[in-house]
């Protein structure tokens, strides 16, 4: 009989702030650091990062 393993990932920012369990929808990786983020924190961090890099719109860069 086959078994299926289900893993639920929670937002690191929500947990660290108030120990709230919120499902993560995005994994952010910068070098060797990684964070799992919910929709709210993904959008908030994306806005802050865009501002810090002085980028008005997200842009995709392909190799």
């Amino acid at each position: 009989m086959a078994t299926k393993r289900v893993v639920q990932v929670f937002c690191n920012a929500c947990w660290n702030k108030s120990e709230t369990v919120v499902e993560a929808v995005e994994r952010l990786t910068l070098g060797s650091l990684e964070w799992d983020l919910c929709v709210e924190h993904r959008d908030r961090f994306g806005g802050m990062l865009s501002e810090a890099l002085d980028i008005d719109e997200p842009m995709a860069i392909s190799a």
Side-chain angles (χ1 to χ4, degrees):
M1 173 189 286
T3 59
K4 183 176 184 178
R5 181 177 176 190
V6 177
V7 176
Q8 190 169 9
V9 180
F10 302 113
C11 177
N12 297 126
C14 289
W15 180 258
N16 290 339
K17 181 177 181 181
S18 60
E19 294 188 0
T20 304
V21 175
V22 178
E23 185 177 3
V25 297
E26 190 82 31
R27 174 164 287 165
L28 172 66
T29 303
L30 292 171
S32 63
L33 303 173
E34 287 187 338
W35 300 269
D36 295 307
L37 302 172
C38 65
V39 172
E40 177 187 349
H41 284 107
R42 175 198 63 192
D43 294 345
R44 187 184 302 176
F45 187 80
M48 289 187 291
L49 187 57
S50 293
E51 185 179 325
L53 296 174
D54 199 23
I55 300 172
D56 292 333
E57 297 180 19
M59 54 194 295
I61 300 174
S62 58

